[in-house]
Amino acid sequence: MHRRTAAGALSRVLGVAESMIDADGVAVLTIRRLGDALGVQAMALYHYVSGPDELVEAVIAAVAEEIQVPSDGQPSAGWRGFLRQVADDVERVAQLHPGVFPLLMTHPPAHRGHGRP
């Protein structure tokens, strides 16, 4: 499988898992249910993640990457403006991912980037 195809497939797997968690909570996310939602056998998902814990970690990391943090070291609006920008974007992501966001706050990702840790 080409790297680009694998990356696209992983992105799709994580996107569907995010949607499932946002809609029904993390307790309903299982490898089998995710496979059913994707139209694949559950065992096929083990190509991308080693199990449910790694899947949830990858979803959390993917959602964390959606938070936009201004990259300029000296924000023009000062530290309060910088904090306001970050807080506004955190709120945006929380609204987009009401099921995943609490997980992000209680289980922050150990690294930036999703995929296999």
Side-chain angles (χ1 to χ4, degrees), residues 1-21:
M1 182 178 292
H2 296 313
R3 182 174 292 275
R4 187 203 256 149
T5 304
L10 176 60
S11 179
R12 181 169 178 250
V13 167
L14 295 180
V16 171
E18 284 174 16
S19 296
M20 291 175 71
I21 294 171

Side-chain angles (χ1 to χ4, degrees), residues 61-72 81-94 96-97 101 104 112:
V63 169
E65 286 185 356
E66 292 182 32
I67 297 172
Q68 300 290 315
V69 177
S71 60
D72 52 356
F82 179 84
L83 182 58
R84 191 169 295 112
Q85 285 179 314
V86 172
D88 286 346
D89 209 60
V90 167
E91 180 181 22
R92 178 189 64 80
V93 171
L96 287 173
H97 299 288
F101 190 77
L104 174 59
R112 294 289 283 184

Side-chain angles (χ1 to χ4, degrees), residues 49-62:
V49 294
S50 63
D53 291 341
E54 186 176 337
L55 174 62
V56 171
E57 288 175 17
V59 168
I60 291 169

